[in-house]
Amino acid sequence: MGTKRMVEGTIIPGEACLIIEDVVTSGSSVLETAQVLRKEGLNVTDAVVLLDREQGGRARLEEDGICLHSVCSLSRLLEILHDQGKLDFDMVESVKTFIRTNASVPVNEMINGSAEQLHNQSNVKTHFKEMSYCARAQLPATHPIAAELFKIMEKKQTNLCLAADVTNSKELLQLAYSLGNEICILKTHVDILDDFNSDVVTELRAIANKHEFLIFEDRKFADIGNTVKHQYGGGVYKIAQWSDLVNAHVVPGPGVVKGLKEVGMPLKRGCLLIAEMSSEGSLATGDYTKAAVKLAEQHTDFVIGFISSSNISGRSEFVHMTPGVQMQIGADNLGQQYLSPEEVINKRASDIIIVGRGILSAKDCKIAARMFKKAGWEAYQKRLTSAKN
């Protein structure tokens, strides 16, 4: 008060200064403090907060070069209270929905205020604000499963999904165990296993937890809501009990999502909509793709993103996964069209490369997986770097 200075004490220009706050919502308070400190010549790169309300603050701070370290996030606090029996599931989901739909700062707002994305993928990166996986995990509109996935990708430095389309359970488990450190997602087709039993998915779930990757059962649901509900939750495979993610065609309309959601939401699962396919002559284009995006936007409490050949939504909270990836662009004799990691991640701004035969047919699967992991991550870093320039 006496000196009327905003900052008291001995200041050495260039010295690092840590900001400590109780709660971060939009990040405005931290940014205002950082501005004052920087004017005094101090270097502000980090802030510590007790609670992150997950309403855009972390992403906004990252854009300003400040890394936020939180003791706890609001979503994690809700999970703890739910686990302790203090809040029921409906209340937890109600609060999460409120947080997602009431971001103080729309950090993921599209350039020119438009959420429309051009299908010509060479210009994809110019239509939205480029953000790191870590920052996207903190966006208020990001689904919890998508947030977990983004964090895994950042931690393990991988955007590789292994398409383990094998017919033997032992081979599936061996692939999961040996390549688990290289991937963020393992894509399965349990309905092609000749020797499926419940022990297989129990062991697969344990491997996924140990190596920190998500399981994605490539079921491609495409029936009426009541039918997919039973296909997802029951039957021989009981997919909802062990798979983090599933996917669905949008041909049946919103009923397919509603049916899956009834089973998946209480189990904290997520769904990807098939908006584009990598096969030659696919009909999943144009209006069909637009309809998939619209359906996803109507069900953000369960749909986390898309199977697509590019970034089709321009929304940072959605995950875009692209199949048919090889080191070189090309095609096979059955119409499967291949794209390279550079084309998919950097040029088309997708998030995850799905690789099957490029790894499974290699002499050394582990070396091949590491090669794809490295190529995918380098393409991602290149995309971030070019966005800053």
Side-chain angles (χ1 to χ4, degrees):
M1 287 173 57
T3 61
K4 296 183 180 180
R5 288 171 52 85
M6 292 291 289
V7 182
E8 295 289 350
T10 303
I11 297 174
I12 302 175
E15 205 172 31
C17 182
L18 176 68
I19 296 176
I20 300 176
E21 267 279 18
D22 53 357
V23 177
V24 160
T25 303
S26 69
S28 296
S29 178
V30 174
L31 288 174
E32 290 171 5
T33 303
Q35 185 178 19
V36 172
L37 294 172
R38 286 167 174 169
K39 284 183 179 179
E40 296 287 342
L42 294 170
N43 184 26
V44 181
T45 58
D46 295 85
V48 174
V49 62
L50 179 62
L51 180 68
D52 178 7
R53 286 175 55 102
E54 300 175 296
Q55 288 182 274
R58 184 182 294 271
R60 188 178 178 195
L61 291 173
E62 183 178 90
E63 290 177 353
D64 200 58
I66 300 174
C67 180
L68 182 67
H69 309 270
S70 60
V71 176
C72 189
S73 65
L74 185 55
S75 59
R76 178 59 184 147
L77 180 60
L78 290 170
E79 289 173 3
I80 293 171
L81 292 172
H82 176 259
D83 292 342
Q84 294 297 319
K86 304 299 183 182
L87 292 177
D88 61 26
F89 176 78
D90 289 341
M91 178 57 72
V92 170
E93 291 305 309
S94 176
V95 174
K96 286 184 178 180
T97 299
F98 175 82
I99 292 297
R100 284 197 299 267
T101 56
N102 289 274
S104 298
V105 181
V107 293
N108 60 328
E109 183 180 5
M110 303 292 290
I111 293 174
N112 297 327
S114 173
E116 185 177 352
Q117 182 62 46
L118 296 182
H119 185 64
N120 184 347
Q121 308 314 332
S122 62
N123 296 322
V124 132
K125 293 180 291 182
T126 64
H127 287 79
F128 62 94
K129 290 185 178 180
E130 192 61 73
M131 301 174 67
S132 69
Y133 295 139
C134 183
R136 291 167 66 184
Q138 303 302 326
L139 291 173
T142 300
H143 189 281
I145 285 288
E148 180 184 357
L149 175 58
F150 284 138
K151 289 174 184 177
I152 289 172
M153 293 162 70
E154 196 75 49
K155 179 181 179 180
K156 297 175 68 176
Q157 295 192 356
T158 179
N159 48 22
L160 172 62
C161 168
L162 172 65
D165 300 338
V166 295
T167 58
N168 179 271
S169 296
K170 184 178 180 180
E171 184 180 0
L172 172 64
L173 295 174
Q174 286 177 336
L175 285 169
Y177 187 81
S178 62
L179 303 183
N181 287 331
E182 317 303 329
I183 63 176
C184 59
I185 296 178
L186 179 75
K187 185 177 80 68
T188 60
H189 264 306
V190 293
D191 55 352
I192 68 172
L193 291 176
D194 295 328
D195 54 350
F196 174 84
N197 62 73
S198 60
D199 291 338
V200 174
V201 290
T202 299
E203 189 171 347
L204 184 62
R205 187 70 261 172
I207 295 172
N209 293 339
K210 179 179 179 179
H211 292 288
E212 294 185 276
F213 61 79
L214 300 187
I215 300 175
F216 163 32
E217 169 57 20
D218 190 7
R219 179 60 178 79
K220 297 184 177 72
F221 292 101
D223 214 316
I224 62 172
N226 188 60
T227 299
V228 299
K229 183 169 65 173
H230 293 295
Q231 290 173 328
Y232 187 24
V236 176
Y237 304 114
K238 296 179 174 57
I239 297 168
Q241 296 299 320
W242 51 268
S243 183
D244 300 292
L245 300 169
V246 291
N247 56 356
H249 287 289
V250 299
V251 173
V256 67
V257 175
K258 292 177 181 178
L260 293 172
K261 185 160 61 171
E262 279 190 28
V263 177
M265 274 192 62
L267 296 172
K268 301 179 181 179
R269 305 306 189 196
C271 179
L272 298 155
L273 296 184
I274 301 167
E276 293 177 322
M277 298 186 72
S278 56
S279 53
E280 183 181 4
S282 168
L283 301 179
T285 59
D287 289 340
Y288 182 93
T289 301
K290 291 178 182 178
V293 174
K294 184 176 180 181
L295 186 59
E297 291 174 339
Q298 294 169 344
H299 296 277
T300 55
D301 53 352
F302 183 59
V303 176
I304 75 160
F306 309 93
I307 300 298
S308 59
S309 63
S310 57
N311 188 313
I312 57 171
S313 73
R315 293 180 57 165
S316 297
E317 65 269 28
F318 280 140
V319 179
H320 295 78
M321 298 178 58
T322 299
V325 177
Q326 290 274 18
M327 294 308 291
Q328 302 293 330
I329 296 175
D332 67 9
N333 59 0
L334 293 177
Q336 171 70 294
Q337 300 178 94
Y338 292 110
L339 300 170
S340 68
E342 165 70 15
E343 175 72 21
V344 169
I345 301 297
N346 185 33
K347 296 182 180 179
R348 300 190 177 209
S350 190
D351 298 308
I352 295 172
I353 54 174
I354 303 176
V355 183
R357 278 175 277 182
I359 293 174
L360 301 182
S361 62
K363 291 183 179 179
D364 190 317
C365 291
K366 183 170 285 189
I367 291 176
R370 288 174 177 170
M371 179 179 67
F372 277 101
K373 174 185 177 182
K374 182 174 183 288
W377 194 256
E378 287 179 349
Y380 160 67
Q381 291 180 312
K382 185 176 179 181
R383 191 174 94 197
L384 288 182
T385 300
S386 63
K388 293 177 182 178
N389 296 333

